[in-house]
Amino acid sequence: MRNTALQNALRINIGSSSSSSPVPIPFWSLCKFTKRSTSQQTRQYSIFNSPHPSKPPPYGQPHPSSHSHLIKNHEITPGIPAEEYELRRKNLMESLEEGSKVICMGGTVKLMSQSIFYRFRQATDFYYLTGFNEPDATLILESAPSTPRGYKYTLFVPPKDAHDALWEGERAGVEGAISIFGADEAYPNTSLSTHLPDILNSSHGETIYASLPPKPSPSISSQPFQPPSSRRRSSLLKLFSSSSSSSSSIGADINSNDPPHLMIAAALSSEYAKPLERPIQQLRMTKSRLELEQMKRAAEISSIAHTKVMRAARAGGKERDLEATFEYECSIRGAERQAYVPVVASGANALVIHYTRNDCVLGPNDLVLIDAGCEYNMYCSDITRTFPVSGIFSEPQRDLYTAVLNAQKECVRRCTVEGAVTLSELHRASCGLLLEELRQIGFKLTVGDVERTLYPHFLSHHLGSDLHDCPTRDRNATLVEGNVISIEPGVYVPYDHKFPKAFHGLGIRIEDEVAFTKDGPLVLSATAPKEVKDVEGACQGLLD
C-alpha cells in the first residue's frame, strides 16, 4: 500500500502535463528509501564521526567544556579560580605547626526515605579547600617544606564506574582529581582505609588535624546507633592512647577493614589529632574579593525575590504561596537552592522566631515577616523583611516598624573596621537602642524586658558558605576587613498586659548582610526594600 501511494504521488506531480500549475511534490516523497522487503522501507542516515557531546556532562560537576555559561576556563568552581583554592590550602598549612597533616572528609549523600535521596550538598570546609563537589571524597594535606608547594595534596575520590555513570552520570575520577583539581596524587576512595594507617602514623612533633563528615543533625537523639565492636573500639583507642607516645609507627597495626570515619574518630579521641574546624574556619571568616562578589550576587537575587513576594501578597492568600514565589524568583536567577528553610510568618506567627510551617492564610490586617535567602555558588544570603499584606502599615505597625528600623540602621552604621567592634558589643548596643526606641512609642519597660521577652535572640552571626558561618568564632573577637555578618534586631510583642495593647501580636524583624570594608560598612542586601515608603511601594507594585 505504501509503495502504491508513493508511485501515485510521483505520477501525479511529474507524469501529468495537462495541469496548468504543477502540484507541489510532498517533502517526504523526495527522501531516499532503501527497499527492505516488498512491504517495508527504511530511511537511510549518514554515518559520521561526531565530536564528544557536552551532554551528558563529562565530569561530576560544572566544567568549562560543558558549562561555559556558568564557569570560565581558569576557574575550578563558578567565580573562583584554581589560584584561590591553592592559596587557601597554602594559608591553612602555613597556619599550622611544622610537620602537620590535614585529613578533611567531604560530605555524603543523605536519604530522605529509603533510597530517596536529598540533593547533595558538599561539606563546606572540604569544598573551601578543593572545589570538588562529589560525595564521599577525602582530602589529605601533608607538610612538605622542600617542595615548590610546601605541602603534598592528595585526594581520595569516587572512581569512574560504567554502571554508576549510566544511573548517576560521569565522575571526575582519579584522573580528573589530578588534571582538574590539581592534586599531586589521587586514589579511589575505596582504598582510603588501606592508606589511613600510614597517614595517621605520627612521629614525634607531628600534629594531625582532622574532620569527619557533617552530622545529619545536631540533635543527639537523631544520631544513628552504630557502636563499634568492643574489639575495634579497644584496639583503635589503644593505638592512639598516650601510652603509645614512644611509638614511631602508631598506625601500623590498624585493621584496614575498619571504616575510615572510625579510624579518624579514634584519632580525634587521642592526643595525636586535633579538630580541623577551628584553624580552617579562622581563615574562612575573612572573605576574599571574589568571595564577596559571589555573596553580593546571592544577596541581590534574594533582594529581588523579597520585592516580588511583597507584590504577590494578598489577603486570603497563603504563606506557602509566598514561599513558592520566593524560591521561584531565586531559582530562575541562578540560585542552586535555598540557604535555609524560609520563615513566612503572617500575623502572630511572627512571634515564633523560627516559624517554618508556612501553612496559614494571610489576613487583611496582617504583617508578614519573611526570613529567606538563597544559596548561590555555595555562598549564602540571609535577609529578613516585614511588610503589610494590605500594602499600607497601620499606625501601630508603622511605629513599631520604625523603632526596629532605626535600631537596625544604627547597628549597621557601627560596622566599621576603625570601630574595632565585636559581635557582643553590637548586640549590647542593639538592646539599648531598642529600649530607647520602644519607650518613645509608649512601652513602659523594666530592666530585662527587652532581652528576656521582646528581643530574645542574638543580633548577629557570621555569614559565608554556611548560613551561620564558622561556628567556632569568638563573639568577643574584633571584627576585621573581610568579615561578613548579619544585623537583625527584632521585636516580638506577646499578648501581655505589660505592653501596650495596640502592639500585641506584632512581630517585626529587619535583617541585612553587612561586609566590613576599609571604606565602611557595605550592605550586600541594600536593594531589598526596607524604608517604610519603599516597602509600601513594593507591596503596591510601584517598585520593580
Side-chain angles (χ1 to χ4, degrees):
M1 181 181 296
R2 182 179 299 174
N3 288 345
T4 302
L6 176 61
Q7 292 166 359
N8 289 339
L10 293 175
R11 185 179 300 113
I12 290 172
N13 288 279
I14 300 174
S16 176
S17 58
S18 59
S19 175
S20 60
S21 60
V23 179
I25 301 174
F27 172 78
W28 59 265
S29 69
L30 302 180
C31 299
K32 293 182 179 180
F33 288 85
T34 301
K35 188 173 183 180
R36 242 178 162 183
S37 66
T38 57
S39 61
Q40 184 177 10
Q41 294 176 339
T42 60
R43 189 190 305 272
Q44 284 186 331
Y45 292 94
S46 297
I47 298 176
F48 61 93
N49 294 324
S50 61
H52 189 283
S54 61
K55 297 178 183 179
Y59 304 105
Q61 66 189 78
H63 184 270
S65 63
S66 57
H67 293 75
S68 58
H69 61 294
L70 294 179
I71 186 168
K72 300 176 182 176
N73 285 327
H74 64 289
E75 295 173 344
I76 295 291
T77 58
I80 308 296
E83 292 79 5
E84 179 136 340
Y85 284 103
E86 181 72 25
L87 181 61
R88 293 172 181 179
R89 294 188 293 268
K90 179 180 175 63
N91 287 342
L92 174 63
M93 295 305 291
E94 289 180 349
S95 71
L96 305 178
E97 301 93 329
E98 185 176 347
S100 294
K101 299 178 181 178
V102 167
I103 304 173
C104 185
M105 299 191 80
T108 59
V109 173
K110 296 179 174 61
L111 299 181
M112 182 172 66
S113 66
Q114 298 183 21
S115 60
I116 306 304
F117 52 85
Y118 288 106
R119 188 184 296 275
F120 175 69
R121 206 272 192 186
Q122 186 59 276
T124 304
D125 288 345
F126 179 86
Y127 189 88
Y128 179 82
L129 294 173
T130 66
F132 190 82
N133 203 24
E134 297 179 36
D136 304 317
T138 299
L139 161 74
I140 309 292
L141 299 177
E142 300 173 82
S143 179
S146 61
T147 64
R149 264 182 165 164
Y151 65 90
K152 180 182 176 183
Y153 172 25
T154 305
L155 281 175
F156 290 82
V157 301
K160 284 183 174 291
D161 181 272
H163 177 269
D164 289 342
L166 174 63
W167 287 91
E168 301 172 8
E170 286 290 353
R171 299 167 174 165
V174 170
E175 299 82 1
I178 295 173
S179 63
I180 299 173
F181 296 92
D184 295 313
E185 295 180 3
Y187 302 93
N189 59 0
T190 51
S191 67
L192 180 58
S193 289
T194 60
H195 284 80
L196 267 181
D198 289 336
I199 296 168
L200 290 171
N201 176 37
S202 178
S203 60
H204 181 70
E206 292 182 346
T207 303
I208 296 170
Y209 288 85
S211 69
L212 292 165
K215 295 180 180 179
S217 167
S219 171
I220 295 177
S221 62
S222 72
Q223 303 304 310
F225 182 67
Q226 296 177 337
S229 68
S230 58
R231 182 202 67 76
R232 289 184 177 179
R233 174 177 289 181
S234 61
S235 63
L236 283 171
L237 291 179
K238 181 179 179 180
L239 285 169
F240 290 104
S241 67
S242 58
S243 62
S244 302
S245 59
S246 61
S247 172
S248 62
S249 57
I250 195 167
D253 297 325
I254 293 179
N255 189 334
S256 62
N257 291 324
D258 286 309
H261 72 275
L262 183 57
M263 296 186 196
I264 295 172
L268 286 169
S269 300
S270 74
E271 66 180 28
Y272 291 96
K274 298 180 181 180
L276 175 62
E277 287 79 8
R278 186 173 294 277
I280 190 173
Q281 290 179 16
Q282 189 64 36
L283 298 175
R284 281 177 45 204
M285 278 193 291
T286 302
K287 308 301 186 292
S288 70
R289 176 184 61 82
L290 295 178
E291 289 183 290
L292 285 176
E293 289 178 1
Q294 299 300 308
M295 295 188 69
K296 183 72 162 62
R297 181 55 185 158
E300 289 171 348
I301 291 172
S302 294
S303 296
I304 294 171
H306 273 278
T307 306
K308 298 290 186 181
V309 164
M310 292 177 188
R311 181 69 182 104
R314 58 177 179 80
K318 300 180 182 64
E319 294 169 339
R320 188 76 68 194
D321 299 342
L322 302 186
E323 179 182 357
T325 298
F326 188 91
E327 293 178 350
Y328 168 76
E329 296 293 343
C330 290
S331 180
I332 63 173
R333 290 171 175 82
E336 302 152 283
R337 60 181 69 86
Q338 294 300 294
Y340 51 99
V341 179
V343 172
V344 186
S346 62
N349 287 339
L351 303 186
V352 181
I353 309 301
H354 283 168
Y355 171 85
T356 56
R357 294 183 60 89
N358 304 343
D359 57 2
C360 287
V361 175
L362 309 181
N365 300 316
D366 282 349
L367 291 178
V368 175
L369 186 159
I370 174 168
D371 185 342
C374 72
E375 185 177 303
Y376 178 77
N377 293 341
M378 281 288 283
Y379 287 93
C380 296
S381 60
D382 188 6
I383 305 171
T384 305
R385 292 295 186 262
T386 308
F387 62 91
V389 171
S390 66
I392 300 176
F393 287 101
S394 69
E395 187 173 344
Q397 291 172 348
R398 182 188 298 265
D399 285 346
L400 189 61
Y401 184 91
T402 302
V404 176
L405 179 62
N406 289 343
Q408 199 259 2
K409 290 164 66 174
E410 176 58 24
C411 288
V412 170
R413 190 188 66 79
R414 298 186 186 195
C415 293
T416 63
V417 175
E418 294 78 8
V421 294
T422 69
L423 292 179
S424 294
E425 290 170 348
L426 287 171
H427 178 70
R428 287 193 294 272
S430 70
C431 293
L433 290 165
L434 284 175
L435 178 64
E436 293 304 315
E437 290 287 340
L438 292 175
R439 282 176 172 168
Q440 290 182 30
I441 60 173
F443 281 74
K444 300 185 185 305
L445 302 173
T446 59
V447 176
D449 281 342
V450 170
E451 295 89 333
R452 287 197 299 264
T453 304
L454 297 174
Y455 174 39
H457 60 78
F458 199 72
L459 170 75
S460 181
H461 57 79
H462 282 270
L463 191 69
S465 289
D466 286 333
L467 179 68
H468 288 215
D469 210 37
C470 305
T472 61
R473 84 279 182 261
D474 181 0
R475 285 180 173 178
N476 294 313
T478 300
L479 295 164
V480 300
E481 183 176 359
N483 289 167
V484 180
I485 65 172
S486 66
I487 294 293
E488 49 180 313
V491 172
Y492 316 89
V493 186
Y495 293 91
D496 189 323
H497 68 275
K498 289 174 57 178
F499 310 114
K501 185 176 180 180
F503 302 109
H504 286 183
L506 296 184
I508 294 173
R509 183 163 68 250
I510 304 171
E511 177 183 17
D512 279 310
E513 307 168 30
V514 183
F516 280 70
T517 76
K518 64 179 185 301
D519 299 321
L522 173 63
V523 181
L524 303 181
S525 49
T527 55
K530 182 170 68 173
E531 299 293 338
V532 169
K533 63 178 182 179
D534 292 333
V535 170
E536 291 181 340
C539 293
Q540 297 167 28
L542 303 179
L543 298 181
D544 293 330

